[in-house]
Amino acid sequence: MKRGKTEWLAAALVVLVMGVVLILVLLSTINPHSHDAQIELPDDAVFDSVADAQIRPQSPGDQASLVEITVQNVQNVIRTLDRPSAYYMKAESILSYGDESRVTVAEQWLSTGRCVVRTEDSLTDRVLCSITDREGVAIWYEGENEVLTGGAAAFLQQDMLAGIPTYEDVLSLTHGSIIAASYVPWNEELCILVEVYDPALEYTLRYYISVESGMLVHAETYTGGALVYSMNLLELSDDLSVGDAMTPPA
């Protein structure tokens, strides 16, 4: 999730969430029954063996032996981390511009073949909900009856609908954009810190990925030396009960 200058930052979160809705409206108008394409939702993660990344524990409770991290190998290290194949997560994002700020709290229930997202927005006081499965996407505002639907072509990946950065964002970076990588503590968790700079937009991003869970737990964006965006992972569990119970309005 990239942020540029302050004026652009003010609209960034709107574009990430509502832009998806507009795309779905367009797709539904063109072909409201387009549900043939397959959505690629995560199965159990399978990664290539990377010799210079990390020595895995030999038995439960063993600690992995960490190797030196560099800007050249950090993405390979991240690929080898163990992640849950199904989980519930809750994350808070704060977008600052001038003296104002916008807070969103996103909840996500992710399992094989299904992704449910619920996002509260302090600016609009509305709650945006979505369900993605192998047939398509349904999006609606909580308390309202209108439901937008679309096929798999309606978005690039299901995490887009949560409006938060993920470890996949780090894996998609070009090597030239990564300027620093190291192990650092964050909220008593050992994390991999990846720092990125974009000279065109003049912003710096910092991603913190937990070595224990493999999840992105914190992110920051700076422009002109000022913090303009932050994301914190508030909860992570294997309880999918609420997400399993969510359905679009009839």
Side-chain angles (χ1 to χ4, degrees), residues 47-107:
F47 299 103
D48 292 335
S49 175
V50 181
D52 67 342
Q54 188 172 13
I55 301 172
R56 307 309 310 162
Q58 297 302 308
S59 61
D62 287 351
Q63 295 297 314
S65 298
L66 302 177
V67 301
E68 181 183 358
I69 282 190
T70 68
V71 295
Q72 287 77 28
N73 74 357
V74 64
Q75 288 168 305
N76 285 338
V77 174
I78 292 169
R79 286 189 181 95
T80 65
L81 296 177
D82 290 327
R83 296 182 183 85
S85 59
Y87 58 84
Y88 161 77
M89 63 166 288
K90 182 177 182 179
E92 179 185 69
S93 297
I94 302 175
L95 182 69
S96 302
Y97 39 99
D99 296 329
E100 303 295 327
S101 63
R102 181 179 191 175
V103 180
T104 59
V105 177
E107 295 181 276

Side-chain angles (χ1 to χ4, degrees), residues 3-14 93-104 121-124 221 223 226-230:
R3 306 279 189 303
K5 296 183 182 295
T6 303
E7 294 81 5
W8 183 77
L9 284 162
L13 201 52
V14 180
S93 297
I94 302 175
L95 182 69
S96 302
Y97 39 99
D99 296 329
E100 303 295 327
S101 63
R102 181 179 191 175
V103 180
T104 59
D121 189 334
S122 69
L123 185 64
T124 63
T221 299
T223 182
L227 177 66
V228 292
Y229 171 81
S230 66

Side-chain angles (χ1 to χ4, degrees), residues 117-182:
V117 176
R118 182 181 183 275
T119 303
E120 299 181 31
D121 189 334
S122 69
L123 185 64
T124 63
D125 287 327
R126 303 175 84 185
V127 178
L128 185 68
C129 303
S130 68
I131 294 178
T132 302
D133 57 26
R134 299 190 183 281
E135 295 183 355
V137 185
I139 297 181
W140 71 97
Y141 281 109
E142 198 171 84
E144 302 181 16
N145 293 324
E146 184 178 3
V147 181
L148 299 176
T149 60
F155 66 105
L156 300 177
Q157 63 182 43
Q158 69 278 0
D159 287 329
M160 259 180 77
L161 300 180
I164 57 175
T166 67
Y167 70 88
E168 289 96 343
D169 294 324
V170 181
L171 297 181
S172 66
L173 294 170
T174 61
H175 283 299
S177 65
I178 300 175
I179 60 173
S182 62

